[in-house]
Amino acid sequence: AQKVTQAQTEISVVEKEDVTLDCVYETRDTTYYLFWYKQPPSGELVFLIRRNSFDEQNEISGRYSWNFQKSTSSFNFTITASQVVDSAVYFCALLSSGTYKYIFGTGTRLKVLA
Amino acid sequence: DTAVSQTPKYLVTQMGNDKSIKCEQNLGHDTMYWYKQDSKKFLKIMFSYNNKELIINETVPNRFSPKSPDKAHLNLHINSLELGDSAVYFCASSQEVGVRNTEAFFGQGTRLTVV
């Protein structure tokens, strides 16, 4: 079975705080892909990052960083020095090789207060 | 240039009507999808098409019928609309699964309201 769990339903932080969004996944496949998407209030789904199961390197892009740990089946997302524009719902997703469906977590709503 | 575009963006219709949502991608992708997002923001796969062939039909009622005339288009027709069909429908596309860059790109969504 494939599953993505985002246990944090909603997080509120004050601007400039750091915040980490958790993602735990389940799959029996050895080859799979993990993703983060952002859904701002305007409603579109914006792709942020992809990680392949065979590449455990963490990644940093500006204020965003991602920590992929196969040992704990987690793919966490940290925003450093959060800004109001970061307010959105963030989705973690899993795609197993050989399948044709992205399994999404239930999303974490992030509110960054000025 | 919009990568994945779907029309219309908003659709308000009465119960029992039939409606269609169109989707086009200009990314040259082989695989296209329809996802449904309910009021709680849950995103659920409805259909996957690869090279115009239906790959996944995720227990969607027969009233929903996807059609892929070519690899760049995947339309969704819904018959006899019900109140419970109200949701945001997203079209998406990706390269062939197994190719390195497998991220899906989504259209802007179609907010369907059935009254």
Side-chain angles (χ1 to χ4, degrees):
Chain A
Q2 294 152 27
K3 189 178 175 184
V4 176
T5 301
Q6 294 181 255
Q8 303 151 308
T9 307
E10 186 167 314
I11 302 175
S12 290
V13 298
V14 177
E15 214 171 12
K16 296 185 186 173
E17 284 185 3
D18 299 347
V19 58
T20 294
L21 310 182
D22 297 332
C23 173
V24 173
Y25 63 93
E26 291 176 34
T27 180
R28 286 182 218 155
D29 294 302
T30 54
T31 301
Y32 53 89
Y33 309 88
L34 296 163
F35 309 85
W36 276 95
Y37 284 84
K38 175 182 180 180
Q39 187 172 39
S42 49
E44 70 272 24
L45 281 160
V46 179
F47 163 71
L48 295 178
I49 189 168
R50 167 184 37 84
R51 247 328 169 233
N52 306 332
S53 56
F54 43 85
D55 180 4
E56 272 194 87
Q57 271 195 329
N58 291 325
E59 183 151 340
I60 299 175
S61 175
R63 298 183 296 107
Y64 295 173
S65 61
W66 291 269
N67 184 323
F68 176 29
Q69 292 200 330
K70 285 176 82 168
S71 60
T72 54
S73 297
S74 64
F75 185 40
N76 296 337
F77 173 25
T78 298
I79 302 175
T80 304
S82 59
Q83 299 176 3
V84 172
V85 293
D86 296 326
S87 297
V89 179
Y90 291 86
F91 292 95
C92 182
L94 165 71
L95 174 71
S96 288
S97 183
T99 71
Y100 288 85
K101 62 178 177 182
Y102 296 77
I103 307 293
F104 282 83
T106 50
T108 298
R109 183 181 296 276
L110 174 65
K111 292 185 178 178
V112 181
L113 308 169
Chain B
D1 262 354
T2 305
V4 182
S5 61
Q6 51 184 112
T7 54
K9 189 168 182 183
Y10 299 98
L11 190 50
V12 181
T13 188
Q14 290 190 324
M15 272 196 312
N17 283 350
D18 303 339
K19 289 294 178 187
S20 291
I21 306 172
K22 295 188 175 183
C23 179
E24 176 181 4
Q25 55 98 1
N26 63 7
L27 297 166
H29 288 164
D30 294 319
T31 310
M32 294 187 73
Y33 313 82
W34 279 107
Y35 274 81
K36 179 180 180 180
Q37 186 174 45
D38 64 20
S39 57
K40 293 184 179 177
K41 297 283 191 180
F42 296 153
L43 275 160
K44 194 170 186 311
I45 182 83
M46 298 175 69
F47 302 102
S48 296
Y49 268 75
N50 187 53
N51 286 316
K52 302 192 301 172
E53 297 296 321
L54 178 66
I55 304 295
I56 287 181
N57 178 342
E58 196 79 346
T59 61
V60 178
N62 290 340
R63 298 182 297 102
F64 290 79
S65 52
K67 291 254 181 345
S68 182
D70 55 58
K71 288 201 305 184
H73 295 83
L74 180 61
N75 304 322
L76 183 65
H77 188 75
I78 316 170
N79 289 329
S80 304
L81 277 154
E82 300 177 356
L83 292 177
D85 297 331
S86 296
V88 180
Y89 293 84
F90 284 98
C91 176
S93 74
S94 71
Q95 288 198 42
E96 176 84 35
V97 175
V99 174
R100 202 161 174 85
N101 299 333
T102 52
E103 53 269 24
F105 292 91
F106 285 79
Q108 78 272 33
T110 296
R111 183 175 293 278
L112 171 65
T113 304
V114 183
V115 297

